[in-house]
Amino acid sequence: MRPTPALAAGGRTVANLLSATEWMLPSPASQVHTISVLPSQSPTPGHEFAFSNLTTSLGNGGGKGLAAGSPRFHVVRDDLLHPLANGNKPRKLDALLPLLRCRGATDIVTCGGCQSAHAAAVAVHCAEWGIRPHILLRGEQLDIPTGYNLISLMFGNVTYASRSVYAQRDEMLYEHATKIAGSNGTVMWAADIIGEDLVVDEDTTDGNGSRRVMIVKEGAGSVQALLGVMRLVEYLSGLTLFGQDEKVHIVVDSGTGTTAVGLALGAVCLGLQWRVTAVMLADTLERYRQQEKSLVSDFEKLYPGIFHGMVGNDTHCSLVQWVERFSPRRFGKVLDGEIVMCRHIAQQTGILLDPMYTLSAWEHAVDLCRRDSEAKVVMIHTGGTLGLFGLAQRYSPQFTTGSD
């Protein structure tokens, strides 16, 4: 029997909270594809499995033969949310951007690496919503702009910051925001804005040209970003494929860890028997647990009583199962064979992965669906495919090799 959805004070459910929120995305919907895991017939070393996309290939007999009794998992195709800025980035902006606009934001400042998907998403979606985006990118301008770097340049106002300056992110962001605001403008941190405080001061919108500049930290790793991810969980729980009483095991790659925490919070608050496994890519286990604890604490402060005792105060209790990548490495490094594996998967399923992020979740989803027959394994595709353009510049020989 599944637990009752969490109630806030006065009987307010999380579903009520989500329904009352203004969203950036017109719909939480996302395509879900079912992937069958088959024994590989390839002589290429490292290709232990072959894959079939049962959702798109059923019309051609894709669900017959070996695929009929094979292990399978599901992929939430958030990489298809937007032609340029997709994946978990718009999910994290889903509630945040409307909130900032309600607070009278004229400009938004954020930062990221040279090929930052987050920076590109902020640039694109701010431009769509009539807010001026200002992007601070680490390093130097590329000789040939491409990938997310090109998108940031086309939609945003980009400034490059040296690595020494970028190391002090908060100071860098605040100083840049202050310059944009000028003597008559104001600067606010997005993480300090709460949903109930939506009154726009008259003196900031009276047409005198003053600017209200909001700072969004790298990766949008703040409590306001959780709601958009929780909205996705609510949508998925309403699908016949999963159902609210189903046991579901979600797998996601983790940069800041915000998406994983949002998924786990959504499952708990909606009373779902869902587990979340997050593949750590950019930090230590201790740091991810600290981030989870901080986000959960901030969420409880923002919406007091929302858990109704469903989440204990035990500091050792984690909503998310944080796991290492099967082949751990320094963040940003691509190992031999991983680009070939991404090509292998793309050719067999029509799903494009990148070796830095989504391939790690795919590998764990394959492993889980072969070991856990009781739960439906679901991988969240967090996008990032435009990052392949940047990787093609760094690892060009691996992209020019012919297919096997």
Side-chain angles (χ1 to χ4, degrees), residues 149-205:
N149 178 257
L150 177 60
I151 299 303
S152 293
L153 286 168
M154 294 301 293
F155 287 87
N157 302 289
V158 172
T159 301
Y160 289 89
S162 67
R163 284 164 173 76
S164 59
V165 171
Y166 196 90
Q168 306 297 323
R169 289 170 181 74
D170 287 0
E171 291 85 348
M172 175 191 72
L173 286 166
Y174 189 78
E175 180 180 344
H176 195 70
T178 301
K179 289 180 181 178
I180 294 168
S183 58
N184 295 324
T186 58
V187 174
M188 296 184 68
W189 292 88
D192 294 335
I193 299 172
I194 62 174
E196 288 76 13
D197 185 17
L198 298 180
V199 179
V200 179
D201 297 334
E202 292 294 332
D203 62 351
T204 64
T205 58

Side-chain angles (χ1 to χ4, degrees), residues 271-328:
L272 304 171
Q273 300 184 65
W274 293 14
R275 290 180 292 164
V276 176
T277 291
V279 186
M280 302 181 294
L281 300 178
D283 222 325
T284 63
L285 175 60
E286 181 181 2
R287 289 286 185 86
Y288 278 111
R289 284 178 171 168
Q290 288 175 352
Q291 171 73 340
E292 177 185 346
K293 184 178 179 180
S294 175
L295 287 171
V296 171
S297 175
D298 288 346
F299 187 81
E300 289 183 296
K301 291 175 184 175
L302 197 57
Y303 307 105
I306 201 77
F307 293 123
H308 197 57
M310 296 181 71
V311 178
N313 294 321
D314 184 357
T315 56
H316 299 290
C317 178
S318 179
L319 298 179
V320 180
Q321 180 185 9
W322 303 100
V323 299
E324 291 279 2
R325 189 169 189 169
F326 283 136
S327 301

Side-chain angles (χ1 to χ4, degrees), residues 96 208 352:
L96 179 59
N208 63 2
L352 188 58

Side-chain angles (χ1 to χ4, degrees), residues 138 218 254-256 280-283 288 325 328-334 356-357 394:
R138 182 184 66 248
E218 183 177 25
S254 290
T256 65
M280 302 181 294
L281 300 178
D283 222 325
Y288 278 111
R325 189 169 189 169
R329 81 290 303 271
R330 177 176 56 83
F331 179 65
K333 184 176 177 58
V334 175
M356 287 178 58
Y357 291 94
R394 290 169 52 193

Side-chain angles (χ1 to χ4, degrees), residues 33 35-36 47 49-53 56-57 73 75 77 79 337-355 358-359 362 379 381 385 388 399 403-404:
H33 289 190
I35 305 301
S36 177
H47 287 194
F49 304 109
F51 305 99
S52 175
N53 189 329
T56 58
S57 63
F73 64 97
V75 181
R77 298 295 308 274
D79 57 314
E338 291 183 336
I339 292 171
V340 173
M341 178 56 68
C342 289
R343 182 189 299 122
H344 175 69
I345 293 167
Q347 291 174 350
Q348 294 184 351
T349 67
I351 298 176
L352 188 58
L353 305 176
D354 77 279
T358 47
L359 179 61
W362 181 282
M379 171 196 159
H381 195 311
T385 47
L388 286 171
F399 283 89
S403 59
D404 43 79

